[in-house]
Amino acid sequence: MTDALFVSLQVILAAIALYQFTFSIFGLHKKKNKVRFAPEKSFAVLVAAHNEEQVVGALMENMKQLNYPKELYDVFVICDNCTDGTAQIVKDHGMNACVRTNPNQRGKGFAIEWMLKELWSMPRDYDAIVMFDADNLAHTEFLMEMNNDLCSGARVIQGYIDTKNPEDSWITAAYGVSYWYINRLWQLSRHNLNMANFLGGTGMCFETNLLKEIGWGATSLVEDLEFTMRSASKGVYPKFNYDAKVFDEKPLTFKASSRQRLRWMQGHFTVARRYFFPLLWQSIKERSLTKFDLALYGANVYIVLLTFLMTAVMFVDISFFDGPNIANIYGHLPLWLSYAAVVANLFTFFIAMILEKVKFKKVYVYLLLFPIYLISWYPITFYAFFTQNNKQWSHTKHTRVVRLEEVQSKQV
């Protein structure tokens, strides 16, 4: 019975890996022809901030540089439970500082929900809502790209999340490599196939009427994934805009990275429990590959956990019980094939970097440590499974002040 279970699970995991690899092939090509529109849509740009006095000034400067008519967008910074000078810096830049104090409901999801209610009560109506984090920098054409997609009929849009500090440490480099892979071989592939994309927490755009229709309602530790699943369940699929870049600051240390990723995985377990089976059932009933793909993405946290547990069991079996005593389909394959599969998996990240024309020299050196970053997801996910009911929001401190000109000059 154990053998049958293990073989079945291994076959399922292998099938999922093949499925994802097949999809990634469709991200190799980037379409060049795009429909462009004159500036038409108005935007409320929301920035969630908690004690971000070190970095919020650079973002405010960046917002003034956007290549979009100034009368068509306003910036609102949610100063959420701040105890520093974030609000004053925002005011000094002539932007709207919206102060929120609620120690019992902490976190980005609650802050956004509060801000949207404030926004609906204001006299001006905006066509769409754009969301950034305080440590972000946006490409000058970001709002223009959102305008193009909204005029083309999109209702939820995810921009290209890039890394503004990939050379700061091996951890920031690992984040950069991961996001280049995700943008090119995951998000773009779905976009090319006209399927749903997933939201990434920043660089997001929402049609105002949609938010008023279904509400925000995403207050988990991963509000982006939660809203992705909510909107998809109602037949509204997020779109991906490859040219709308937003540069996000990544944690400098392994400890800070682990804390951030633990929060992500805890939230992923919550969303998976809530949405996986309903979305899977809808995909079957409607024969929708798009909903099946999103359901599978939502369950990815369980796939990682299952892979880790099975690997651990097989390791213990071989090391301490003179195994293998448990059936293993990989044991019937040539050893070189297993190594080739691992190398091929790592090579896809390198391919993504080549396709994205990454010019950061240090990042290529840091690739030697990238497997450590990938492997570390397994114990983090394992620990997150047992602490998933912990809803305490943890703040990632940002102190690296980078401006858009610096980021773009390093990419050339």
Side-chain angles (χ1 to χ4, degrees), residues 54-69:
Q54 295 295 325
V55 295
V56 73
L59 176 61
M60 296 300 98
E61 294 174 12
N62 175 221
M63 291 294 98
K64 297 174 186 177
Q65 298 169 351
L66 296 180
N67 181 27
Y68 203 73

Side-chain angles (χ1 to χ4, degrees), residues 31-325:
K31 299 176 182 178
K32 295 182 179 180
N33 296 326
K34 293 184 64 174
V35 179
R36 302 188 182 279
F37 296 84
E40 173 188 330
K41 303 295 183 178
S42 59
F43 296 92
V45 180
L46 306 189
V47 180
H50 172 70
N51 290 346
E52 300 286 9
E53 64 180 6
Q54 295 295 325
V55 295
V56 73
L59 176 61
M60 296 300 98
E61 294 174 12
N62 175 221
M63 291 294 98
K64 297 174 186 177
Q65 298 169 351
L66 296 180
N67 181 27
Y68 203 73
K70 298 298 182 284
E71 66 274 12
L72 287 180
Y73 73 95
D74 293 314
V75 178
F76 300 88
V77 179
I78 314 167
C79 305
D80 186 38
N81 293 292
C82 289
T83 57
D84 66 352
T86 299
Q88 188 58 51
I89 292 173
V90 172
K91 292 175 184 176
D92 291 343
H93 281 278
M95 305 297 186
N96 301 288
C98 306
V99 178
R100 174 183 181 265
T101 303
N102 189 334
N104 297 320
Q105 292 185 331
R106 299 169 61 85
K108 186 176 173 182
F110 288 112
I112 291 172
E113 191 164 51
W114 173 84
M115 187 66 237
L116 289 176
K117 290 178 182 178
E118 295 291 308
L119 207 60
W120 303 157
S121 65
M122 294 180 185
R124 182 175 183 179
D125 290 327
Y126 298 92
D127 294 313
I129 311 297
V130 167
M131 298 183 189
F132 293 123
D133 288 337
D135 62 294
N136 291 167
L137 295 170
H139 192 281
T140 54
E141 299 296 317
F142 189 91
L143 290 185
M144 189 66 77
E145 290 295 337
M146 294 297 109
N147 177 76
N148 291 336
D149 282 354
L150 289 168
C151 290
S152 298
R155 306 191 74 186
V156 183
I157 311 155
Q158 175 61 57
Y160 183 117
I161 303 178
D162 208 340
T163 305
K164 73 179 185 182
N165 60 331
E167 293 187 302
D168 281 359
S169 71
W170 74 274
I171 280 292
T172 61
Y175 273 98
V177 173
S178 297
Y179 276 87
W180 291 317
Y181 167 82
I182 289 170
N183 284 306
R184 188 59 187 252
L185 299 181
W186 198 303
Q187 294 278 51
L188 186 60
S189 62
R190 268 71 179 177
H191 175 76
N192 287 341
L193 292 169
N194 200 30
M195 293 177 65
N197 292 100
F198 60 86
L199 297 173
T202 188
M204 305 178 292
C205 180
F206 306 86
E207 183 191 62
T208 298
N209 289 337
L210 174 66
L211 288 177
K212 288 183 176 180
E213 286 171 18
I214 70 175
W216 176 245
T219 55
S220 69
L221 295 177
V222 284
E223 73 290 331
D224 47 0
L225 178 62
E226 186 176 4
F227 192 89
T228 299
M229 297 303 174
R230 284 188 65 242
S231 62
S233 65
K234 299 179 183 297
V236 179
Y237 303 132
K239 298 296 182 181
F240 177 62
N241 190 310
Y242 181 91
D243 298 308
K245 286 197 173 185
V246 56
F247 301 92
D248 186 41
E249 181 185 326
K250 304 306 179 186
L252 297 174
T253 66
F254 183 80
K255 181 179 179 180
S257 167
S258 298
R259 186 165 56 243
Q260 182 187 64
R261 289 184 287 154
L262 175 63
R263 172 169 57 85
W264 289 347
M265 292 300 98
Q266 288 169 334
H268 272 241
F269 275 116
T270 301
V271 174
R273 288 201 318 270
R274 191 176 302 168
Y275 291 100
F276 172 68
F277 284 110
L279 204 56
L280 180 64
W281 174 243
Q282 284 185 28
S283 72
I284 296 172
K285 195 162 74 170
E286 300 172 16
R287 298 180 181 178
S288 170
L289 177 61
T290 298
K291 287 189 175 180
F292 173 80
D293 187 59
L294 277 178
L296 191 62
Y297 173 73
N300 193 54
V301 65
Y302 280 101
I303 295 171
V304 174
L305 177 65
L306 183 60
T307 302
F308 174 71
L309 291 176
M310 292 179 64
T311 303
V313 168
M314 287 188 288
F315 174 78
V316 170
D317 178 45
I318 293 172
S319 302
F320 300 101
F321 296 98
D322 297 324
N325 300 302

